[in-house]
Amino acid sequence: MSDAVDMRSALEQTVAEYQLVSQQKAAITAQANELRSTLAHLKSQDESRPVFQQVGPILVEVEDVEQLQLELEESLQTIVSHEARLEERESELKSTYEQAVKKFEDA
């Protein structure tokens, strides 16, 4: 009986962690998509028009658009790297879950 309780507990913990990782991945993916969109708009922006960046509750004109673009690209790389780690963890948890379910059903 204790083994079944332990397996059930492990299964519940795996499901909870899987859900958390999936939620984090969804949020990171949304951030990556937003950054990609921002970079695309920034690249297509007419150079004669000013670019503004939100700082707290106000918009501030950007002096160095190229520097802003570099910073956004670095942020995107960081987020994409984190997204890949979350995808890997999600895959590991899915495999762990499937193995735990099989063990639980076989018990």
Side-chain angles (χ1 to χ4, degrees), residues 30-40 72-73 75-76 79:
Q31 288 179 355
N33 289 338
E34 184 177 328
L35 276 173
R36 286 184 187 102
S37 176
T38 300
L39 283 165
L72 291 173
E73 288 170 352
S75 293
L76 179 59
I79 286 174

Side-chain angles (χ1 to χ4, degrees), residues 6-106:
D6 290 344
M7 282 190 281
R8 181 182 175 131
S9 177
L11 185 59
E12 289 172 350
Q13 184 177 357
T14 300
V15 167
E17 188 176 352
Y18 181 81
Q19 289 173 335
L20 179 64
V21 168
S22 293
Q23 290 171 350
Q24 289 174 346
K25 191 181 109 193
I28 288 293
T29 299
Q31 288 179 355
N33 289 338
E34 184 177 328
L35 276 173
R36 286 184 187 102
S37 176
T38 300
L39 283 165
H41 285 292
L42 192 57
K43 288 176 184 177
S44 67
Q45 175 78 6
D46 183 351
E47 290 182 18
S48 66
R49 300 193 60 185
V51 172
F52 295 89
Q53 181 177 19
Q54 185 170 349
V55 179
I58 63 170
L59 292 177
V60 177
E61 187 171 354
V62 174
E63 302 265 340
D64 188 348
V65 176
E66 289 179 15
Q67 181 62 35
L68 174 63
Q69 190 170 345
L70 285 173
E71 290 170 7
L72 291 173
E73 288 170 352
E74 287 175 8
S75 293
L76 179 59
Q77 288 176 350
T78 300
I79 286 174
V80 167
S81 174
H82 186 58
E83 182 181 31
R85 286 191 304 275
L86 286 172
E87 285 174 357
E88 186 177 313
R89 183 65 182 144
E90 185 179 45
S91 178
E92 291 170 1
L93 287 167
K94 184 176 181 182
S95 176
T96 301
Y97 170 78
E98 289 169 352
Q99 291 171 4
V101 166
K102 185 170 179 9
K103 265 185 171 179
F104 190 73
E105 289 173 346
D106 291 346

